[in-house]
Amino acid sequence: MKEDITTKNDIEKIVYNFYEKVKKDNEIGYFFTDAMKMNWGRHIAKMNEFWENVLFYTGEYNGDPLNTHKEFHKKFPTTPQHFERWKIIFDNTLDELFEGPNTEKMRSHAKAIADVMVQNIDKYLTK
């Protein structure tokens, strides 16, 4: 039996492992390696803050993921299939590492995020 997510270190482990997988993925890896040209240290820290806030209500996260993804989409079009692949990799990462109520909360929140992104990107495309 695996343990549940209970600490900041647990979240860091998930985020690190997830992005290592995503960067190597044939379907969506391009977005995270070639397209984004991002500061990985800053991005990972921001994602850790985001998930800590989701699970532990830290109030540390400050950002606008929807707007960030819309701006990214203008340069590098994304599809619902890309977000579906993102969810699969995220779920697989969770399954490998943890289980329990916080793990399911994180999974549910990730699904909701991906769904909102797809709905709003679809709206953006139809304008």
Side-chain angles (χ1 to χ4, degrees):
M1 184 159 174
K2 298 175 193 129
E3 294 184 15
D4 199 7
I5 303 162
T6 58
T7 67
K8 178 179 180 173
N9 288 340
D10 293 342
I11 291 171
E12 289 172 354
K13 183 176 182 179
I14 293 164
V15 170
Y16 174 80
N17 281 282
F18 169 71
Y19 280 108
E20 285 302 303
K21 290 177 187 173
V22 164
K23 288 189 283 186
K24 296 174 188 170
D25 187 74
N26 290 334
E27 195 171 334
I28 63 172
Y30 165 80
F31 294 114
F32 296 89
T33 55
D34 299 334
M36 288 175 117
K37 308 274 189 227
M38 73 170 101
N39 176 328
W40 274 104
R42 195 175 97 211
H43 183 71
I44 296 295
K46 193 162 203 75
M47 293 300 93
N48 287 334
E49 288 173 359
F50 174 80
W51 287 111
E52 287 170 40
N53 192 53
V54 167
L55 292 181
F56 308 133
Y57 310 103
T58 61
E60 296 294 316
Y61 177 76
N62 186 10
D64 183 355
L66 184 56
N67 191 52
T68 299
H69 283 85
K70 280 184 179 181
E71 291 303 312
F72 181 80
H73 177 75
K74 289 178 186 177
K75 296 176 189 171
F76 304 99
T78 52
T79 67
Q81 291 79 16
H82 292 132
F83 286 98
E84 184 60 35
R85 182 66 184 150
W86 180 92
K87 285 191 299 188
I88 289 168
I89 296 169
F90 197 86
D91 282 347
N92 288 343
T93 302
L94 289 176
D95 289 342
E96 290 171 9
L97 300 172
F98 296 97
E99 66 183 9
N102 280 340
T103 305
E104 293 312 308
K105 181 178 179 181
M106 194 173 196
R107 183 187 320 277
S108 175
H109 201 82
K111 180 187 180 317
I113 290 167
D115 291 347
V116 166
M117 295 295 178
V118 167
Q119 289 170 349
N120 281 282
I121 286 172
D122 283 347
K123 288 178 190 175
Y124 173 74
L125 287 172
T126 59
K127 288 185 179 180

